[in-house]
Structures are given as structure tokens and as C-alpha cells.
Amino acid sequence: QAKADILTVGEAFSEPAARHGNLISVKARVELKAIDRATGKIIAVDRQTALAVDLTESIASKAALEEAAAILAERILPKLVK
């Protein structure tokens, strides 16, 4: 079984931010650390927050997490392919 050259670890979470009538806003944060498995050296550390609004908290949470992850991926992927 092959192992990856880069180990990525982190966490993501979301919290309700506000309610405006039927709309619920949620703020999410995604944190990521990339580690070179061969050397143990930290290649990159980054974090991103995002806000989303929807009629349900669960959908707003997923949307905010997806947005934060997409923005973070655009920033961190170039660091991993060097």
C-alpha cells in the first residue's frame, strides 16, 4: 500500500452567527497543516473563514464550510506542488 508524500491535517467547524427573520447566517473556519512525511517538516499552515446565509442552519453551515475550503485550497495547493 502506497503512502502519500504529504500528510494534511486540520479541522473545520461552523457556528450560527445571526438570525434575520427566516434567514440564518453561519460563520465557518477551516484550518489546515501540510507536513512532508519524509522529513516531518511543516510545508504550509493556513486558515480561512467564510459566512453563508440560508433558510436552515445545516445548509448554511455546509455552504460556509465549502466556501472556506475552496478559498483555502486555491491558496495552499500551489505551496504543495513546489
Side-chain angles (χ1 to χ4, degrees):
Q1 182 176 350
K3 293 196 176 202
D5 295 332
I6 299 172
L7 174 67
T8 55
V9 294
E11 68 178 318
F13 52 91
S14 63
E15 293 285 333
R19 181 181 296 269
H20 303 284
N22 290 339
L23 297 175
I24 301 168
S25 64
V26 174
K27 189 167 190 177
R29 179 177 172 103
V30 177
E31 301 172 348
L32 182 67
K33 184 187 318 184
I35 303 165
D36 183 323
R37 289 176 77 82
T39 65
K41 178 183 172 190
I42 296 173
I43 299 168
V45 176
D46 206 347
R47 67 210 51 77
Q48 179 67 44
T49 59
L51 185 68
V53 178
D54 202 286
L55 294 173
T56 66
E57 183 180 333
S58 62
I59 299 296
S61 293
K62 289 178 182 181
L65 288 165
E66 285 177 12
E67 182 180 345
I71 294 168
L72 183 58
E74 284 183 23
R75 237 185 5 249
I76 206 163
L77 285 175
K79 297 176 185 176
L80 303 182
V81 296
K82 286 185 177 177

